[in-house]
Amino acid sequence: MQREPQPIPRHVAIVMDGNGRWAKQRYMPRFFGHKQGVDALVRCVQACSDRGIEYLTVFAFSSENWKRPEEEINGLLGLVLVAVSKYLTKLADKGVRIRIVGDRSAVTDKVRSAWDEAERRTAHNTGIVLSVAFNYGGRWDVVQACRQLIEAGVGAAEVDERALSSRMALAHAPDPDLFIRTGGEVRISNFLLWQVAYSELYFTDCLWPDFDEAQLDAALAAYAGRERRFGDVKARSAHAGP
Ligand code: IPE
Ligand code: IPE
Ligand code: MG
C-alpha cells in the first residue's frame, strides 16, 4: 500500500534551552554548554534543510536574558563573534539565508557588525532561511510593530492583523507550523507570541546540545500526527493557515 507523504512543516521555531544544565551535568561551566549549543544549531540547520523545511527560527537570547550574571552575558556576546567567524562561510556556501530578529540597539558594535555581515553575505541565498532571535521578546516585537505603524501615520481604521503582521520581526516568514522547546520547561518564555497563534507545540526534555537528527525526526513525527483545524471542525491542510 502506498503511504501518504508525511507533512513537513514549512517553518519550525525552536527555543534552544538547556545549555547550562547540559554543562552542569558534565561539571563544566555554563559557557561550555552554550558553545556546544552553537554546534548543535549548525547541525540542526543542515538537518532541517535536508528535510525540506524552508524556515528555521531559533531563540538565542531573550529580552529577559540580560538579567543573567554579567560574565555569562559577555560570554554569550563573545560567542556570537566566534560563531560567525567559525560558521558563516560554511552556512553561506550551503545557501542558507541568515536573518537576525530582535532589538539590535542594546548589543555591542562588534556584535551588530557581525550580524550585519551575516545578513549581507547571505542576502541573495535561496536555501533555508535561518532567523536568529537575539535580544528578542514577543512583547517587544508587538510594541515595535505598533510603533512602526504609528510612525508611518497609519490611521486606526487601517490597523488590522495584516498591517501588524507586516511590521513584525518575522514578516519575511509564514507563521511557524511547529514550535519546539528543548530543555524540559513547558512555557513560551516570551518567544514568538503573535506568530504562534496556531503553531503545533512540542516540548522535549532533551537538552539543546543533545538535540540531533533523531530528536528532530521525533518532533517531525509528532507534528505529522497532529490534526490542524485552525478553528474549523474538520482537518485543514497543514499549510492552509488560519
Ligand atoms: C538556553 O540555555 C540558552 C540561553 C538562554 C542563552 P540556558 O542557558 O537557559 O540553559 P539552562 O536552561 O540554564 O539549562
Ligand atoms: C528561553 O530560555 C530563552 C532562550 C532559549 C534564548 P530561558 O532559559 O531564558 O527561559 P526561562 O527563564 O527558563 O523561562
Ligand atoms: Mg534556560
Side-chain angles (χ1 to χ4, degrees):
M1 197 178 89
Q2 190 90 29
R3 282 186 61 199
E4 284 279 305
Q6 297 290 302
I8 287 283
R10 281 187 77 191
H11 184 177
V12 175
I14 308 182
V15 178
M16 307 183 291
D17 195 25
N19 294 346
R21 280 163 285 164
W22 187 91
K24 195 174 174 208
Q25 285 175 355
R26 289 159 180 78
Y27 307 100
M28 296 293 280
R30 292 176 63 83
F31 180 75
F32 183 62
H34 294 315
K35 206 161 148 284
Q36 297 296 315
V38 173
D39 296 345
L41 171 59
V42 173
R43 289 194 300 269
C44 184
V45 175
Q46 183 65 52
C48 287
S49 171
D50 292 345
R51 285 156 181 75
I53 292 161
E54 297 169 61
Y55 300 88
L56 173 65
T57 301
V58 294
F59 207 7
F61 191 89
S62 79
S63 314
E64 290 72 33
N65 286 149
W66 296 107
K67 295 174 189 161
R68 294 189 177 202
E70 202 181 322
E71 189 193 341
E72 181 167 355
I73 293 171
N74 290 338
L76 286 164
L77 292 173
L79 195 53
V80 169
L81 306 178
V82 173
V84 169
S85 73
K86 189 168 171 197
Y87 288 118
L88 180 57
T89 301
K90 181 179 164 184
L91 293 171
D93 289 351
K94 286 186 182 292
V96 177
R97 174 150 193 205
I98 299 176
R99 311 279 299 238
I100 310 300
V101 295
D103 182 359
R104 291 186 205 206
S105 64
V107 299
T108 59
D109 289 346
K110 275 188 180 166
V111 168
R112 212 174 2 258
S113 49
W115 286 147
D116 290 347
E117 194 200 346
E119 288 191 331
R120 202 176 45 245
R121 275 187 51 197
T122 62
H124 301 293
N125 281 353
T126 54
I128 187 169
V129 178
L130 169 66
S131 303
V132 179
F134 198 94
N135 195 18
Y136 177 89
R139 290 180 172 179
W140 165 83
D141 200 1
V142 173
V143 170
Q144 69 78 25
C146 291
R147 277 207 186 132
Q148 282 190 49
L149 289 175
I150 293 164
E151 277 165 13
V154 176
E158 281 81 53
V159 177
D160 56 16
E161 292 181 18
R162 225 164 63 136
L164 203 59
S165 287
S166 71
R167 265 86 174 181
M168 302 293 289
L170 279 185
H172 58 273
D175 284 346
D177 301 291
L178 173 61
F179 176 104
I180 298 172
R181 181 172 184 145
T182 63
E185 313 294 356
V186 185
R187 54 180 173 249
I188 306 278
S189 296
N190 198 21
F191 194 25
L192 311 164
L193 298 179
W194 172 267
Q195 299 88 343
V196 298
Y198 270 101
S199 303
E200 295 299 328
L201 308 180
Y202 179 85
F203 298 93
T204 170
D205 289 337
C206 172
L207 302 174
W208 175 250
D210 289 330
F211 193 84
D212 58 10
E213 292 197 49
Q215 297 285 339
L216 176 65
D217 287 335
L220 294 176
Y223 173 81
R226 305 274 178 93
E227 185 181 272
R228 304 186 77 187
R229 290 190 290 276
F230 300 103
D232 204 340
V233 289
K234 55 186 189 308
R236 295 257 308 263
S237 143
H239 301 140

